[in-house]
Amino acid sequence: MKKRILIFMAIVFSTSLFISISAQDIALPAPNKTGGKPLMQALNERQSTRSFTKDNLTQQQLSDLLWAGWGFNRSDQKKRTAPSSMNVQEIDVYVALPTGLYLYFAESNMLKQINNKDIRKLCGTQDFVAEAALNLVYVADLGKLKKKEGDPIKESDLLSSYANTGFIAQNIYLYCASENLGCVIRGSVPKDKLAPEMGLRPNQVIILSQTVGVPKK
Ligand SMILES: Cc1cc2nc3c(=O)[nH]c(=O)nc-3n(C[C@H](O)[C@H](O)[C@H](O)COP(=O)(O)O)c2cc1C
């Protein structure tokens, strides 16, 4: 009898654990891959914004934003909306939201929760980073470039990752221009403080961050 009760409790505990972990992830709605402003108009309106309201993006906007930046546009070939050097695709896009830090999984179109802390303030040195809806943090996984944990990392090892991030960031700029949202790409990131909060491994390197939100009128 005692054994049965223990087994029952173990099942209840593991089920609730499983549900609570998966419940914290965000399954995004399918991205809307049509519409928006014409490309030339979006280019004409692209700009950096540094003043945001506290409004959040809708889940549809979040899905569309991330797909525009770094989603798969040729899923059968596992290729994306932005190019990457030798198609290594070493850039991971982390999303710092008020509800926590998430990692974007383009294939399953979901945000996997890394932790439940609001680390937006830590994503930059300018006041608006803590106010805006979200900060994207672009992280190069040098493991995909055959760097082992603990291997020394030179600035020159990161050249392609900076270029690859630039393409993603420009896609985000154009999506924001098209959706009347605001954003700014930022090199001002306190990487030494942010990396441990994000739980990054030694061969994961923060490249840049990009603040996104609803612009103040
Ligand atoms: C690599 C890079 C790093 C940047 N870092 C910052 C930053 O830390 N903070 C900031 O407010 N803007 C930053 N910017 C945005 C530039 O200041 C901005 O693009 C420039 O002033 C031109 O304005 P525009 O984007 O509206 O055309 C950065 C831009 C780039 C390309």
Side-chain angles (χ1 to χ4, degrees):
M1 186 64 181
K2 204 174 164 190
K3 197 177 163 193
R4 273 199 207 151
I5 291 171
L6 281 174
I7 292 170
F8 175 75
M9 282 173 68
I11 291 170
V12 169
F13 178 72
S14 60
T15 312
S16 64
L17 197 69
F18 177 74
I19 288 168
S20 72
I21 287 170
S22 57
Q24 289 153 3
D25 298 337
I26 301 174
L28 294 167
N32 185 356
K33 301 177 188 174
T34 59
K37 292 179 187 169
L39 176 63
M40 298 305 260
Q41 188 183 342
L43 282 165
N44 196 39
E45 294 176 19
R46 186 217 65 83
Q47 61 181 295
S48 294
T49 299
R50 297 180 185 81
S51 176
F52 299 89
T53 71
K54 291 186 174 169
D55 295 341
N56 289 319
L57 269 58
T58 64
Q59 288 210 348
Q60 188 65 55
Q61 285 176 317
L62 201 49
S63 173
D64 296 353
L65 172 92
L66 291 164
W67 180 80
W70 195 221
F72 286 107
N73 63 359
R74 290 149 293 160
S75 299
D76 53 332
Q77 300 169 57
K78 297 220 183 315
K79 287 193 169 175
R80 308 209 189 213
T81 52
S84 76
S85 175
M86 298 173 76
N87 193 28
V88 172
Q89 302 187 9
E90 82 282 13
I91 303 299
D92 288 320
V93 180
Y94 286 78
V95 186
L97 292 169
T99 51
L101 176 70
Y102 301 80
L103 176 58
Y104 174 54
F105 281 89
E107 200 157 16
S108 49
N109 195 37
M110 70 178 292
L111 292 175
K112 180 93 196 139
Q113 193 176 54
I114 305 298
N115 66 46
N116 61 4
K117 295 186 212 157
D118 180 359
I119 63 158
R120 285 175 298 167
K121 194 171 190 289
L122 272 180
C123 293
T125 55
Q126 294 159 283
D127 288 345
F128 61 80
V129 297
E131 302 256 309
L134 62 102
N135 286 275
L136 302 173
V137 185
Y138 299 111
V139 174
D141 181 356
L142 299 183
K144 292 188 183 156
L145 292 161
K146 309 283 180 257
K147 279 261 181 215
K148 297 200 183 72
E149 301 289 344
D151 279 356
I153 298 167
K154 300 190 292 288
E155 271 302 303
S156 56
D157 295 328
L158 302 174
L159 287 179
S160 292
S161 297
Y162 275 97
N164 297 335
T165 296
F167 290 107
I168 301 172
Q170 178 71 352
N171 285 356
I172 298 286
Y173 264 111
L174 291 175
Y175 170 76
C176 287
S178 176
E179 257 306 289
N180 300 318
L181 293 172
C183 73
V184 58
I185 187 75
R186 291 179 296 94
S188 54
V189 183
K191 296 180 182 180
D192 292 347
K193 281 191 194 152
L194 183 55
E197 282 294 328
M198 294 175 68
L200 299 182
R201 304 184 314 268
N203 63 352
Q204 283 184 293
V205 179
I206 295 169
I207 302 297
L208 295 169
S209 179
Q210 191 165 20
T211 305
V212 179
V214 176
K216 269 189 189 152
K217 291 272 182 307

